[in-house]
Amino acid sequence: MGAIYEIGALCALDESLDGLDLNACDDYVGVSAGGFIVAGLANGIRPRQLCESFIEDRPDPDNFNPDWLLKPAWGEFGARLQRLPGLLRGAAWEWVVQGKSFNSAFERLGSALPTGVLDNEAIHRQIERLFSQPGRTNDFRQLRSRLTLVATQLDTGEATPFGRPGWDHVPISRAIQASAALPGLFPPVDIQGQHYVDGALKKTLHATVALDAGADLLLCLNPLVPFHTSPSLQDGRRIPSLVEGGLPAVMSQTFRSMIHSRLALGLKHYERAYPGSDIVLLEPDQRDATLFFANTFSYRQRRELAEHAYQETRRMLLERQATLAPLLARHGIRLDLAVLQDGSRRLLPARVPSRHPLTERLHATLDDLQKKVDDLAQARSWRPDAARGH
């Protein structure tokens, strides 16, 4: 979700901010999925090229297919399973021989559970391949701009700024993998004997590294905001309570709320500590049901969400032009109102031309299956597409 939103928003910014080259910034700071995006920008990949690589389903060596992230972490499962016999023997000994309580004795079995259910090694391999092509680099030290990718050191809870001196020898692709290793979903990433997880666990916005370096204008893209809803009618459609969505909706709202509250605190600190720097935060509207109730692994919805982020960012820039225009003007940047007011502009064509009949039939089948699932959900008074505002 983070990558999809950021790509759509960056494409809108690239078109509408005259005087700003998104591939020639002084500093790039990425956390979690944002690491992949800013590493691409620092490598000279245009926002539209990122869109083609991540959003479009084209047989191209530049493509990064999110479906690679759905492979089970079989290696992690196997390693944990090997521990189980010894753990069972130890727990039985403590319970039967040493007389410890059942709960106390069998707590040790928790270490047999996998640390992640999905394999994230493909992130490293595929990005390494993308950044090894001519004109790109997988080495922080060979970039023209400063790139910082933040992960969290698991054993200390401290933020690690890959790309900064002392950490710039780690391959960019490996740092991206570490920064995006969301605990429970992906296993921690081993880098030189230390284990790293998602950089957002420490704090949401790691902007200090850029502000300390003298950044006078900071553009922040935050894709995850808590959803603001109520079980009432909105545009003639029922927007249900999130509890009706079950555990996934509740956990998503919880995670987003934690992320966003820390972001708000961080921004207030930056405003006080760096009064000479202008900070612009771009994020979705909290009432945007389209982004909250999304299946990001659906090819059709991936395109719809990127288009939605693109159009919503354009709309937001127009709405905020009274405050944004003078702020950006101080840095030699102008809002191109003609571009923003052009209602015919789209991020993606309405329909991707077919490359192969089999591929076309597969996409049609997936779209038909999605429709049937939505119809079934509607019959049960929980219709995700209605909640999304489609």
Side-chain angles (χ1 to χ4, degrees):
M1 172 60 70
I4 292 170
Y5 172 81
E6 289 167 6
I7 287 172
L10 282 169
C11 287
L13 293 173
D14 195 39
E15 292 178 355
S16 55
L17 297 186
D18 186 18
L20 174 65
D21 184 351
L22 290 175
N23 293 103
C25 297
D26 296 313
D27 263 287
Y28 296 91
V29 183
V31 182
S32 199
F36 166 69
I37 304 302
V38 295
L41 293 176
N43 256 294
I45 304 176
R46 302 297 303 174
R48 286 276 180 172
Q49 290 176 296
L50 285 171
C51 182
E52 292 178 2
S53 172
F54 193 83
I55 306 298
E56 293 282 45
D57 188 21
R58 297 178 179 175
D60 189 282
D62 269 1
N63 276 6
F64 183 92
N65 189 344
D67 293 344
W68 294 330
L69 305 179
L70 288 176
K71 296 179 180 178
W74 296 120
E76 174 70 7
F77 296 160
R80 296 289 164 173
L81 191 60
Q82 289 178 358
R83 297 184 176 190
L84 189 57
L87 292 171
L88 282 171
R89 288 194 298 270
W93 177 266
E94 290 183 4
W95 181 39
V96 176
V97 179
Q98 297 181 346
K100 292 187 177 181
S101 68
F102 179 86
N103 288 340
S104 175
F106 282 85
E107 276 180 358
R108 62 166 59 201
L109 296 182
S111 61
L113 296 175
T115 56
V117 297
L118 298 176
D119 185 6
N120 54 359
E121 185 64 20
I123 297 177
H124 161 62
R125 292 197 308 268
Q126 298 299 336
I127 295 178
E128 181 181 46
R129 176 182 59 81
L130 292 177
F131 290 172
S132 296
Q133 296 179 15
R136 302 175 188 170
T137 179
N138 199 34
D139 189 330
F140 286 101
R141 296 163 294 189
Q142 295 181 12
L143 293 170
R144 290 174 294 179
S145 302
R146 289 184 294 269
L147 171 64
T148 306
L149 304 175
V150 184
T152 303
Q153 214 279 351
L154 182 62
D155 290 328
T156 65
E158 295 299 319
T160 300
F162 290 109
R164 285 319 203 197
W167 300 99
D168 53 0
H169 61 286
V170 176
I172 294 173
S173 56
R174 188 66 78 186
I176 292 173
Q177 178 191 7
S179 181
L182 184 64
L185 190 62
F186 298 114
V189 178
D190 186 339
I191 299 178
Q192 298 178 343
Q194 301 293 323
H195 292 89
Y196 298 89
V197 293
D198 197 305
L201 297 188
K202 181 67 176 179
K203 59 180 179 178
T204 305
L205 186 62
H206 294 263
T208 305
V209 291
L211 294 169
D212 283 343
D216 54 358
L217 174 64
L218 187 70
L219 298 179
C220 305
L221 289 183
N222 172 49
L224 298 180
V225 296
F227 184 45
H228 188 279
T229 184
S230 62
S232 59
L233 290 178
Q234 194 174 92
D235 297 329
R237 286 169 294 199
R238 180 172 176 267
I239 305 296
S241 169
L242 292 181
V243 74
E244 296 185 34
L247 181 62
V250 173
M251 291 302 296
S252 179
Q253 181 76 334
T254 301
F255 180 72
R256 290 163 179 260
S257 298
M258 292 170 57
I259 290 289
H260 201 257
S261 63
R262 293 188 310 179
L263 173 66
L265 290 174
L267 286 174
K268 290 180 180 178
H269 165 71
Y270 295 143
E271 290 173 358
R272 294 192 301 267
Y274 304 94
S277 299
D278 288 321
I279 303 175
V280 178
L281 174 64
L282 304 172
E283 60 183 9
D285 191 312
Q286 293 191 20
R287 298 163 296 180
D288 192 336
T290 300
L291 289 172
F292 188 87
F293 297 98
N295 174 14
T296 57
F297 289 99
S298 162
Y299 166 67
R300 175 176 62 86
Q301 284 200 9
R302 201 157 68 231
R303 301 183 78 248
E304 290 176 356
L305 292 170
E307 183 69 44
H308 180 75
Y310 171 79
Q311 299 296 353
E312 286 298 297
T313 301
R314 285 163 42 83
R315 180 188 60 78
M316 179 273 297
L317 291 173
L318 268 178
E319 288 182 352
R320 294 171 58 184
Q321 62 172 299
T323 55
L324 282 179
L327 183 153
L328 294 172
R330 293 199 292 267
H331 306 280
I333 302 171
R334 181 181 66 88
L335 276 176
D336 193 329
L337 296 182
V339 169
L340 289 174
Q341 292 169 348
D342 183 357
S344 65
R345 283 183 174 266
R346 289 183 56 86
L347 174 65
L348 299 164
R351 182 176 179 273
V352 177
S354 174
R355 283 87 46 208
H356 190 279
L358 180 61
T359 304
E360 190 69 13
R361 288 199 301 273
L362 177 59
H363 288 162
T365 301
L366 291 173
D367 288 347
D368 184 59
L369 177 62
Q370 180 71 47
K371 183 178 185 302
K372 285 181 169 56
V373 170
D374 291 345
D375 291 342
L376 179 62
Q378 182 183 23
R380 295 178 177 177
S381 299
W382 169 248
R383 184 171 178 249
D385 274 354
R388 284 193 293 265
H390 287 305

